[in-house]
Amino acid sequence: MTRLPLYLKIGELLHREIAAGHWLPGERMPPEAELAEDLGVAVGTLRKALATLEEEGLLQRRQGSGTYVQRAPAGNAIYQFFRLELLDGGGVPSADVVSLKKCESAVATGHLAGKPLQQWQVKRLRLLNNKPAAAEEIYFSYAHAPKLVLADLHESLYIHYREQFGFWIARVEDKISCELPPEWVKKHLQLAGNTHCVRVERRGFSNVDKPEEYSITWFDPAHCRYLARWS
Amino acid sequence: MTRLPLYLKIGELLHREIAAGHWLPGERMPPEAELAEDLGVAVGTLRKALATLEEEGLLQRRQGSGTYVQRAPAGNAIYQFFRLELLDGGGVPSADVVSLKKCESAVATGHLAGKPLQQWQVKRLRLLNNKPAAAEEIYFSYAHAPKLVLADLHESLYIHYREQFGFWIARVEDKISCELPPEWVKKHLQLAGNTHCVRVERRGFSNVDKPEEYSITWFDPAHCRYLARWS
DNA sequence: AGGAATTTGTGCGTATGTATC
DNA sequence: AGATACATACGCACAAATTCC
């Protein structure tokens, strides 16, 4: 058995403490020396733990001032896989649900291998800086939720999956093409009849690498684009 | 005046040394203790410097083994950044050069910040299973090669860069959109006049993170697509 | 305005653990 | 099994930024 390094254990401990509300977002934590003594570790060890949490974005450390809790840890990876940006870069993403319905596998059949054929379909409008930028159809297994109403849906479906369904999306595969979008997309994005859209077909895989989500996203290349970084 | 921390200075120094070829890709650097003494700093300070370089991807550190300069991708990773596939998956990639010329920065000006304005432009046809799938325009600095003829070009430009120019592409950024392609693309891909193509704008960064390559690729979504995997 | 106190950042040195060769 | 090299952990001193009186 190989032990977890102390600084990572300490980091996990603090992470849980923060998640449990021991310190609230915006609050200042005790100084390094005090915290280190309370925890019974050297200051350097604590510093390394705090550094990892800062890197995760959970903490903010300011010289001469203190260590501050940055935010609630729940929303760790909300927009981790969101790849759209405005043509001049950036844009704050949000989402509006357009429709929610059960479907009998007529669409997206076989796309989620090994899943039951009954699926939920969610149509959404994706916004950048509060202006419509893309439209998407999302499919996931009916088995996760026999009942589901629009009000139940979290704005971040990934959070909904995690908090309601007990899994999270750890990996996605995108296949990118372009086409004339379906009518409902044209309508909601207010596109002219002959506007070609970029089409992103996505498969999302869970933490245990099961295919859990299938989606198609359309957007007008005149307004935004897909950003990819590789190394 | 506020001084740069010593560990960042040391990091910069090592970065330059490596870029200058003092240690070659794949080579093992001296052990921490020795390097620290040579540089006249404490081991901890050197470690912090090495950590930043490892984070940049310039170094690889292996416990019990040593610190290694990250080597250029091996021969089998020629198409590490090639993202096109046939609609039913896969396809063997190859390339044909269509034209090669110097250009006076009329196109792609400013895309390679800090580079001279004179650039080489290469137009190529990309094939999948020996059938035309995409067309691309590639730009790189004229300074790398005052003379260059078509016969000199390697089928893999990335290999050409590595073997002739002494750098390699370690990271790319793709921005994906769609549009009606330019005439030369239509001609070579034999596209009807109104066929919208996916357009991939790519910036390639070298092992020392300098922008070295700019390219635009067009392909017909009816024949192939761009594949992205995220985790 | 200014100086003291507080708090994190930087840097050093050492000892021990653990992976690799 | 032994030697080597990086990883972890401890503790201390001083610098720099911020806060508070």
Side-chain angles (χ1 to χ4, degrees):
Chain A
M1 183 191 103
T2 155
R3 288 190 358 260
L4 203 62
L6 180 57
Y7 74 90
L8 287 180
K9 284 187 197 165
I10 296 292
E12 281 303 307
L13 183 144
L14 293 174
H15 193 129
R16 285 197 304 275
E17 291 275 324
I18 291 165
H22 188 97
W23 297 289
L24 298 178
E27 195 173 351
R28 188 176 68 186
M29 296 174 61
E32 292 176 345
E34 185 181 328
L35 200 49
E37 187 172 354
D38 290 348
L39 294 168
V41 301
V43 181
T45 304
L46 174 66
R47 283 179 59 79
K48 206 163 176 185
L50 293 174
T52 67
L53 296 184
E54 186 180 27
E55 214 166 354
E56 288 178 33
L58 199 61
L59 296 179
Q60 193 188 353
R61 285 158 63 68
R62 290 202 292 272
Q63 182 178 172
S65 180
T67 300
Y68 299 83
V69 175
Q70 188 68 351
R71 54 169 175 68
N76 196 338
I78 303 179
Y79 291 121
Q80 181 184 0
F81 296 121
F82 190 74
R83 294 292 159 216
L84 299 189
E85 64 166 24
L86 295 172
L87 289 190
D88 41 359
V92 179
S94 54
D96 283 345
V97 175
V98 171
S99 76
L100 166 67
K101 66 172 188 179
K102 276 180 277 191
C103 65
E104 290 288 340
S105 80
V107 191
T109 303
H111 282 133
L112 296 177
K115 294 274 110 181
L117 296 179
Q118 286 192 315
Q119 296 189 319
W120 286 105
Q121 180 204 61
V122 184
K123 291 185 182 178
R124 303 202 304 180
L125 206 53
R126 298 307 299 253
L127 316 172
L128 282 173
N129 292 343
N130 293 316
K131 293 179 64 177
E136 58 189 5
E137 285 178 14
I138 306 163
Y139 299 88
F140 52 86
S141 173
Y142 180 75
H144 288 309
K147 287 182 184 175
L148 192 59
V149 293
L150 205 143
D152 295 337
L153 280 180
H154 195 286
E155 180 174 4
S156 165
L157 276 183
Y158 284 10
I159 290 184
H160 190 97
Y161 297 156
R162 193 174 67 220
E163 298 187 349
Q164 306 299 320
F165 300 164
F167 66 84
W168 63 90
I169 301 296
R171 179 172 75 81
V172 300
E173 273 188 32
D174 290 346
K175 288 176 179 171
I176 300 164
S177 174
C178 78
E179 68 179 7
L180 286 170
E183 281 304 323
W184 77 269
V185 172
K186 276 188 205 169
K187 184 182 140 209
H188 279 87
L189 293 183
Q190 300 182 323
L191 300 176
N194 60 345
T195 308
H196 278 73
C197 280
V198 177
R199 171 200 150 105
V200 180
E201 178 186 321
R202 169 168 290 192
R203 283 171 180 73
F205 298 84
S206 76
N207 42 314
V208 291
D209 216 40
K210 284 204 311 197
E212 292 282 6
E213 186 192 57
Y214 175 77
S215 71
I216 307 176
T217 304
W218 295 267
F219 65 88
D220 177 2
H223 288 98
C224 57
R225 67 188 160 202
Y226 181 100
L227 177 64
R229 290 195 178 85
W230 306 99
S231 52
Chain B
M1 181 193 104
T2 155
R3 289 191 354 264
L4 203 62
L6 180 56
Y7 72 90
L8 287 181
K9 283 187 198 167
I10 296 292
E12 282 302 309
L13 183 143
L14 293 173
H15 192 135
R16 284 198 305 276
E17 292 275 323
I18 290 165
H22 188 96
W23 296 290
L24 297 180
E27 196 173 348
R28 188 175 66 188
M29 295 173 62
E32 291 177 345
E34 185 181 327
L35 199 50
E37 188 174 353
D38 289 350
L39 294 168
V41 300
V43 180
T45 305
L46 174 66
R47 283 180 60 78
K48 215 167 169 183
L50 293 174
T52 66
L53 296 185
E54 186 179 26
E55 214 166 354
E56 289 179 32
L58 198 62
L59 295 180
Q60 191 187 355
R61 284 158 65 67
R62 290 202 292 273
Q63 182 177 174
S65 179
T67 300
Y68 299 83
V69 175
Q70 195 62 282
R71 69 169 63 253
N76 65 352
I78 300 176
Y79 293 118
Q80 181 184 2
F81 295 121
F82 190 74
R83 294 293 159 213
L84 299 189
E85 64 166 26
L86 295 171
L87 290 189
D88 41 359
V92 178
S94 54
D96 284 344
V97 175
V98 171
S99 76
L100 166 66
K101 65 171 187 181
K102 275 180 276 190
C103 64
E104 291 288 339
S105 78
V107 191
T109 302
H111 284 132
L112 297 177
K115 295 272 110 184
L117 295 179
Q118 287 192 314
Q119 295 188 320
W120 286 105
Q121 181 205 61
V122 184
K123 291 185 181 177
R124 302 202 307 178
L125 207 53
R126 299 305 300 252
L127 317 172
L128 283 172
N129 292 343
N130 292 316
K131 293 179 63 177
E136 59 189 5
E137 285 178 12
I138 305 162
Y139 299 87
F140 53 87
S141 172
Y142 178 75
H144 289 309
K147 287 182 185 175
L148 192 61
V149 294
L150 206 143
D152 295 336
L153 280 179
H154 196 286
E155 181 174 5
S156 164
L157 275 184
Y158 283 10
I159 290 184
H160 190 97
Y161 296 156
R162 192 173 72 216
E163 298 187 348
Q164 306 298 319
F165 299 164
F167 65 85
W168 65 91
I169 301 296
R171 179 172 75 80
V172 299
E173 275 188 31
D174 289 346
K175 288 176 177 169
I176 300 165
S177 176
C178 77
E179 67 179 7
L180 287 170
E183 282 303 322
W184 78 268
V185 173
K186 275 187 203 168
K187 185 182 138 205
H188 280 88
L189 294 183
Q190 301 183 321
L191 299 177
N194 60 346
T195 308
H196 278 72
C197 280
V198 177
R199 171 199 151 104
V200 179
E201 179 185 322
R202 167 168 291 191
R203 281 170 181 74
F205 298 84
S206 77
N207 43 314
V208 292
D209 216 38
K210 285 204 310 199
E212 292 282 7
E213 186 192 56
Y214 175 78
S215 71
I216 307 175
T217 304
W218 294 268
F219 65 88
D220 175 3
H223 289 97
C224 57
R225 67 189 161 203
Y226 181 101
L227 176 64
R229 292 195 178 85
W230 305 99
S231 53

